[in-house]
Amino acid sequence: MSVKTAGTRTAGATLQAIVPPRLWRDRSLLIGAIVVVVVFVAGPLGMNSYWLQASTVAIVYALIAGGAGLLVGRVGLYSLCQIALTAAGSWMALRLGFGTSLPFPVIILLSGAFSAVLGIIIGLPSLWVSGLALALLTLMGASAITLVLTVIHFPNGGDGILGYSETGQGAPALARPLIGETTDGYFRYVLVVAAIVFLIVWLHLKSRPGRSWAAIRQSPASAQAAGVNITLYRVWAFLLASFIAGVAGGLLAATGGIYITQFPVQDSIILLAAVLMAGAYSLWGAVLAALLMKFIGAAFSIWNVPPGLLLMLFGAGILQSLLQSPTGIFGQLSTDLPKLWRRIRRGHRPAEEGRA
Amino acid sequence: MIEIRELTVQFGAVRSLNEVTFEFPMGTCGLIGPNGAGKTTFFNALSGFVKPKTGSVRVFGTELVGMRAYRRARWGVRRTFQTEQAIQELSVFDNVRMVHEQSASGGKGRIAAIGRAIEFVGLASVANKPVGTLSAGERRLVELARAVVGSPKLVLLDEPAAGLPDEETRELSGLIRRIPEEHGALTILVDHDMDLVSSCCSTTAVLDFGRLVAVGPTSEVLRDQRVIRAYLGDEEVAS
């Protein structure tokens, strides 16, 4: 028995050899830190204000995609309300920004908390249903949020609990923090916040919640048989993803004037498509999804390409993922690039191998 | 020991388990029967996945009926499934840790317990490899390690050798026999492989159409005419 052989080989293996390396020695953490530092320093260089703004928005969308990817890729829950929860976060951030003198980070955290509460309410059906039924229920929840926000409008400095005035000044943006007042500064500010949020998600994935989510995605029955409280961990996942969407909404509110038309319900579907195409099983997949969604969208608007083409492109991407690479583009890259690298290092030539 | 008293599980008009009553002593015990006899339903009732209509299940004096599924697992009921359930993207170590951290306190004791379970099944050399890269036999052993980690009281093994070649099945049977002594858990084995059941189980119960047909020492039970009839049918036995 091959397994027995393995056991015999390592009869004297010490406990030390079995224990995995410490989290801080994880290679993906180091790569992530390097990427953040490089983008922080060099990111704004050579970009005009249009692309810098687009990049800032792309980072915010990477957060939203990270939350969606967490739900789909890690827990197996299909949620279509992340964009609506982002809009709710923006609403709360603007309301607090115009109505109070709270510091920017506190506003962002409270926006996250507001969306987290909404997310738990919308995600409650996940305790009983999953798959398509959950997707439809969350889509209805997203429609409800969008409808309410359409009626009450985003705050523009008016009085009352809604903070909206018909005679107000259009859609003023949330005041940025002092260190992020310039476009460059805010790009870097958003990058740091995104890095912190991704670190929190990464720590979740590498610890007990992440392992419990993986067990639930594998099989809820098997997870229960292992002692996983699936109610707790499903609510936890919804809470975290919704909190992230709320934080993203708060950050977005300071990028410029916010209108409800920026958060169409169908964007949640496009987001899910982008996440599945880019790779729902990896945080890098979320970053890639946001880049695809926002940069291709920004490029299309410059080239006057109809935005509907983006949907067709993502549809083709999902088809490719389903047929060729269930782990998405990033999953495929992370498998293929090391292989390619090994071949290059060995000077490997497939044609010669074929002849041999 | 485990005491089953008048356990009845009903789905609509169908009684999958019908007033089943028997006891298993500490050790490795077998549960056999033809397809549809109610073996997996019995495991599901013990795991808390189905609610019995009537009856009680007491394990070492603790009543399990009424306890939620995940709480039973934390109390010490562990099981494997007919289909593979080890999580492909997690390492062997993390698969076993996932089970242990749900039910026990942390600290150095946890690492040692996980290490013992992995060494028990002989996977120490691949402890940090993702389960998805292992062979089918190794993946089965990961599930066994998950079942025995920590301090299980009752281990339910649902066809653990399904699909394994004879040699691997023999070695798996050696591990199953060692569970009660080394991990202190009463082990119940469901399998269609009679050689495996004979080699592992001191006591065996037989179910057929949800009813208990026989229970007793395995060698006697396997010679019982009622058991042979349940497996082969009346006509085959007569001919």
Side-chain angles (χ1 to χ4, degrees):
Chain A
M1 190 179 187
S2 58
V3 287
K4 203 62 187 171
T5 313
T8 313
R9 266 203 315 268
T10 59
T14 61
L15 196 60
Q16 210 71 37
I18 293 175
V19 178
R22 297 263 179 205
L23 273 186
W24 58 267
R25 296 176 78 177
D26 195 302
R27 202 172 51 174
S28 58
L29 188 65
L30 179 68
I31 294 170
I34 291 170
V35 169
V36 169
V37 170
V38 169
V39 175
F40 185 89
V41 174
L45 304 177
M47 269 202 273
N48 63 28
S49 62
Y50 176 82
W51 283 107
L52 203 52
Q53 174 83 352
S55 303
T56 307
V57 173
I59 295 171
V60 172
Y61 269 76
L63 285 177
I64 309 168
L70 171 79
L71 288 174
V72 177
R74 304 294 176 157
V75 202
L77 297 173
Y78 286 82
S79 168
L80 292 176
C81 64
Q82 298 312 110
I83 296 291
L85 291 169
T86 306
S90 289
W91 186 90
M92 181 50 82
L94 288 167
R95 187 69 203 96
L96 291 171
F98 292 131
T100 69
S101 54
L102 289 169
F104 189 81
V106 177
I107 290 176
I108 297 297
L109 287 174
L110 290 174
S111 306
F114 178 64
S115 290
V117 172
L118 285 179
I120 288 175
I121 294 168
I122 295 174
L124 272 183
S126 70
L127 303 181
W128 303 282
V129 297
S130 59
L132 183 62
L134 180 64
L136 289 174
L137 283 168
T138 52
L139 191 64
M140 287 176 202
S143 300
I145 291 175
T146 308
L147 184 66
V148 170
L149 291 178
T150 305
V151 172
I152 67 173
H153 302 285
F154 281 99
N156 60 358
D159 294 327
I161 195 164
L162 299 177
Y164 178 75
S165 165
E166 292 287 350
T167 56
Q169 307 169 359
L174 178 68
R176 292 176 181 175
L178 278 177
I179 53 171
E181 277 186 332
T182 61
T183 312
D184 288 21
Y186 194 61
F187 170 85
R188 291 191 169 112
Y189 188 93
V190 169
L191 179 69
V192 170
V193 173
I196 293 168
V197 170
F198 272 107
L199 180 65
I200 291 169
V201 174
W202 184 81
L203 288 172
H204 269 79
L205 296 178
K206 293 286 179 184
S207 56
R208 182 172 167 172
R211 289 186 285 272
S212 301
W213 289 331
I216 293 170
R217 197 192 67 198
Q218 173 84 15
S219 154
S222 170
Q224 278 190 304
V228 176
N229 182 345
I230 59 173
T231 304
L232 170 73
Y233 283 105
R234 277 181 170 167
V235 170
W236 190 333
F238 255 102
L239 186 140
L240 184 59
S242 309
F243 177 80
I244 293 169
V247 167
L251 292 170
L252 209 56
T255 56
I258 292 290
Y259 298 91
I260 192 61
T261 48
Q262 286 172 253
F263 306 99
V265 174
Q266 66 265 26
D267 263 17
S268 285
I269 301 172
I270 298 174
L271 177 78
L272 184 64
V275 166
L276 289 173
M277 185 175 70
Y281 305 102
S282 158
L283 291 177
W284 292 111
V287 175
L288 187 59
L291 293 179
L292 289 172
M293 204 171 157
K294 286 294 142 187
F295 276 142
I296 294 178
F300 276 15
S301 85
I302 288 175
W303 301 331
N304 290 323
V305 176
L309 199 64
L310 190 66
L311 262 180
M312 289 173 64
L313 204 65
F314 283 1
I318 289 183
L319 195 64
Q320 195 274 339
S321 285
L322 287 173
L323 296 175
Q324 299 291 329
S325 169
T327 52
I329 295 171
F330 188 79
Q332 190 73 47
L333 285 176
S334 58
T335 312
D336 290 349
L337 285 180
K339 279 185 193 168
L340 183 68
W341 176 240
R342 277 197 297 274
R343 282 190 176 187
I344 291 169
R345 282 182 66 185
R346 282 203 310 257
H348 182 83
R349 290 180 192 160
E352 284 181 8
E353 188 184 71
R355 282 196 294 275
Chain B
M1 69 184 302
I2 180 168
E3 302 163 76
I4 312 295
R5 294 275 173 266
E6 299 187 346
L7 191 67
T8 299
V9 175
Q10 191 160 338
F11 300 108
V14 179
R15 283 197 168 189
S16 296
L17 288 177
N18 198 348
E19 296 182 352
V20 172
T21 298
F22 66 87
E23 291 174 6
F24 274 151
M26 180 63 183
T28 302
C29 306
L31 182 68
I32 61 172
N35 285 330
K39 305 182 297 292
T40 298
T41 303
F42 179 78
F43 270 14
N44 286 342
L46 263 58
S47 312
F49 295 152
V50 295
K51 192 178 173 186
K53 190 179 178 211
T54 59
S56 79
V57 177
R58 295 182 76 82
V59 182
F60 299 114
T62 300
E63 177 62 55
L64 294 186
V65 174
M67 200 187 286
R68 295 176 75 173
Y70 76 91
R71 290 204 178 278
R72 291 186 199 203
R74 291 178 181 189
W75 178 81
V77 178
R78 301 278 175 74
R79 74 173 285 186
T80 66
F81 292 79
Q82 286 178 18
T83 51
E84 279 181 24
Q85 298 297 333
I87 304 161
Q88 306 276 312
E89 72 268 23
L90 295 187
S91 67
V92 173
F93 187 91
D94 279 347
N95 261 276
V96 180
R97 172 153 68 176
M98 186 276 296
V99 176
H100 191 260
E101 68 192 354
Q102 307 294 337
S103 52
S105 57
K108 286 190 174 177
R110 168 168 296 161
I111 300 294
I114 296 166
R116 270 199 305 277
I118 293 173
E119 287 195 332
F120 174 72
V121 297
L123 292 179
S125 66
V126 291
N128 288 309
K129 281 193 174 178
V131 166
T133 64
L134 306 182
S135 70
E138 287 172 320
R139 293 200 297 272
R140 284 285 180 186
L141 290 183
V142 173
E143 293 179 10
L144 193 61
R146 283 169 37 145
V148 300
V149 69
S151 309
K153 295 184 177 74
L154 176 65
V155 173
L156 310 171
L157 302 174
D158 199 350
E159 300 190 25
L164 294 185
D166 289 347
E167 190 189 343
E168 292 189 8
T169 302
R170 272 196 299 279
E171 291 176 10
L172 184 67
S173 83
L175 290 176
I176 293 171
R177 279 198 301 270
R178 285 164 51 199
I179 293 173
E181 191 183 328
E182 294 188 24
H183 298 277
L186 195 163
T187 303
I188 303 179
L189 170 68
V190 163
D191 214 289
H192 289 291
D193 183 342
M194 290 307 141
D195 290 338
L196 179 66
V197 173
S198 308
S199 67
C200 292
C201 307
S202 54
T203 306
T204 294
V206 186
L207 291 176
D208 191 23
F209 291 113
R211 288 183 179 277
L212 182 73
V213 175
V215 62
T218 303
S219 55
E220 289 176 23
V221 163
L222 293 182
R223 285 198 301 270
D224 193 308
Q225 284 302 308
R226 293 169 300 173
V227 174
I228 295 168
R229 215 171 274 128
Y231 266 95
L232 299 178
D234 288 334
E235 289 175 14
E236 288 287 335
V237 172
S239 64

